[in-house]
Amino acid sequence: MHWEEMMVQLSRRTVLLAGAAWAVTGLGPSNVLAQDSARPSLPIPAELRADAGGTIRLDARPGSMRFVGDRATATYGINGPYLGPAVRVRRGEKVVAQVSNNVPETITMHWHGLIIPGAADGGPHQVIPPGKQWQTELAVDQPAATLWFHPHSYPATAQEVIRGLAGLLIIDDEESGRLPLPSRWGVDDIPLIIQDRRFTPDGQFFDRMNYIAVVNGYVGDTALVNGARYPQARTARGWIRLRILNGSNARSYTLAASDGRSLYVIGSDGGLLASPVELKQLLIHVGERFEVLVDGRDGRAFDVVTLPVAQDIMRLPPFDGPLPLVTIRPEGADGTGQLPSSLAVLPALPQQLPPMSQELVMNMFRDQQGMMPLKTAGLMAMVKSGKTDPAVVARVVNLIVNDPVLSQTEQLSASGVNGKPFSIERMDFAAARSQDLRWRISEGTDLMLHPVHIHGCQFRIISRDGKPPEAERAGWKDVAPISAGGVTEILVRFPHPANRDTPYMAHCHILEHEDSGMMAQFTV
Ligand code: C2O
Ligand code: CU
Ligand code: CU
């Protein structure tokens, strides 16, 4: 279906689901409020700054949430039942992060996107057993950005994130503070953590590691935003800043506004762009963040929707058409934020690039085991036909849910980097410190999507498949997507050391790929 047609269909749906109950029913405001109260409000994670002693306390603990009907889902959260607070630090600040593990399994806590030494990074070597604490200093010295934190337990990151362990880590700095950007938390500065989940019949998180999951990644059938299903956010009337984190295990989203209004991308993973990038659709892969401004000066409600993406299995219902994720109602007091025409100074890429110093090839050794059954079930033919067929959907869902769980050995050898599955004992390579390095990221014969993430740095994408990156990926990044046999070149620098005890990781951020061996570790 063509984009405009989708929009027409969608705006009808939006009117019914989200929008103008006033106009439709002709009833008064009290009725509207009653109707709205049937839908959850967007939960806004509490901001958490270092206390007077400079400490940030994070407590991973079990919880319970009602995502589906009135069934209780057992969860994990950080300082709460699901997800975590929005930790806020300033450039130049030194804080102590104190992580208590009160969940009944070993975790770690990794600061995704933070440029810190390996010893503070919270990777798979820095385990926190149940009942124990881990404390580390975080010396923040990088531009304002929306980062995040999550466990990095090998090989159980996928399960722990599914349960709810993840939170935002926001860096502020003077340069961004001088810009007139919307910055009132929860008023015109709105965090959106997008995740997909699937539930078992008794309401628990589905998290089976079979070949379907290990190859295709986690396939949810429910979209959550900040842990709520299709919530609504009442915001200031004016420019709204959305800090979007794709915190899903595997799913990419093509985000758009239901009424076709523009998305002005102002920031990527590691900070502000040079100037805003106006888009109608924004593709965001797992681990990526984008900060987006939308013009809500008209005070009219709209949905942030996701449109179907390229991966066949990710087009199962309800992701087979435009799916509304969250309603934004810019109905409050007038906002004061603005869309600046220029944002940050980004250093130009050097004319003379350094020689290639590292290759990272993402490998799938079992892609046939994960793809063939889908083909046999008719998934590829169905997607090609453009029509959702309930019989095919049922067969594919049956594979997702019932394909047998892998033994640990099968799981850990299903994927790799540079021909080898991850081994926590083996150092894969060493990178030079404080030097511009050129790395090449590619994939084996599987042609699948791999959003590749590297610790200890923010890098720049030099090229993807021989072309310059899209404007919204031309700034600071810590995730570089590759797909369809493509190649991405990056320019990267590691200012801090990482030794053999606490090396940095380079891995695919599809957590099922990471947990099945698509990860390498390196020293600096
Ligand atoms: Cu967000 Cu190595 O991870
Ligand atoms: Cu990371
Ligand atoms: Cu991957």
Side-chain angles (χ1 to χ4, degrees), residues 182-384:
S183 48
R184 285 179 298 155
W185 190 246
V187 176
D188 58 12
D189 185 349
I190 312 291
L192 300 178
I193 304 172
I194 307 175
Q195 300 175 305
D196 66 321
R197 293 291 184 269
R198 177 180 296 276
F199 297 90
T200 60
D202 63 343
Q204 303 311 305
F205 285 126
F206 169 83
D207 67 354
R208 178 177 279 225
M209 275 293 221
N210 52 26
Y211 273 131
I212 306 293
V214 151
V215 169
N216 299 279
Y218 190 85
V219 183
D221 61 1
T222 304
L224 301 177
V225 181
N226 301 352
R229 292 173 68 181
Y230 190 33
Q232 51 183 345
R234 290 172 199 283
T235 71
R237 178 181 180 131
W239 284 97
I240 313 296
R241 178 191 204 158
L242 305 175
R243 295 185 193 249
I244 306 169
L245 160 66
N246 183 347
S248 308
N249 283 33
R251 180 180 294 280
S252 303
Y253 301 89
T254 300
L255 302 176
S258 54
D259 57 3
R261 76 181 68 196
S262 294
L263 309 174
Y264 297 87
V265 184
I266 59 161
S268 59
D269 302 340
L272 294 172
L273 300 174
S275 53
V277 176
E278 181 182 358
L279 296 175
K280 295 294 179 192
Q281 298 180 26
L282 171 61
L283 177 61
I284 183 168
H285 302 294
V286 286
E288 285 189 314
R289 289 86 63 210
F290 284 111
E291 291 188 29
V292 170
L293 256 55
V294 279
D295 187 355
R297 288 176 297 182
D298 59 3
R300 299 238 295 269
F302 62 94
D303 282 341
V304 175
V305 306
T306 183
L307 305 171
V309 294
Q311 295 73 33
D312 289 344
I313 199 168
M314 296 302 179
R315 300 174 69 123
L316 291 176
F319 296 95
D320 52 340
L323 178 72
L325 299 174
V326 55
T327 304
I328 306 291
R329 300 178 167 278
E331 294 165 351
D334 284 353
T336 51
Q338 282 165 35
L339 177 70
S341 54
S342 71
L343 297 161
V345 181
L346 284 179
L349 296 182
Q351 285 295 316
Q352 192 66 37
L353 291 167
M356 195 71 68
S357 57
Q358 187 62 47
E359 289 243 16
L360 294 170
V361 183
M362 303 296 125
N363 304 116
M364 306 219 66
F365 307 122
R366 296 287 180 270
D367 46 314
Q368 288 314 308
Q369 281 85 334
M371 298 303 285
M372 282 316 291
L374 303 178
K375 211 172 198 169
T376 310
L379 176 66
M380 286 70 180
M382 180 186 89
V383 167
K384 216 165 175 196

Side-chain angles (χ1 to χ4, degrees), residues 214-215 362-364 415 443 446 448-452 482 507-514 518:
V214 151
V215 169
M362 303 296 125
N363 304 116
M364 306 219 66
S415 311
E443 63 184 346
D446 58 272
M448 295 182 90
L449 166 73
H450 303 293
V452 177
I482 51 165
H507 60 93
C508 177
H509 218 287
I510 290 182
L511 300 182
E512 290 73 20
H513 291 179
E514 174 182 336
M518 203 180 290

Side-chain angles (χ1 to χ4, degrees), residues 97-168:
Q98 198 179 85
V99 183
S100 308
N101 179 11
N102 290 306
V103 304
E105 62 187 291
T106 294
I107 64 167
T108 83
M109 205 51 79
H110 166 62
W111 323 103
H112 178 132
L114 206 53
I115 308 173
I116 45 170
D121 192 49
H125 295 259
Q126 291 166 298
V127 296
I128 321 173
K132 293 284 191 281
Q133 254 185 22
W134 176 63
Q135 190 163 306
T136 191
E137 188 185 81
L138 305 176
V140 182
D141 186 19
Q142 66 190 89
T146 302
L147 314 180
W148 62 305
F149 55 94
H150 60 78
H152 218 298
S153 316
Y154 175 76
T157 298
Q159 273 95 339
E160 293 178 0
V161 171
I162 290 170
R163 279 269 174 139
L165 295 182
L168 293 171

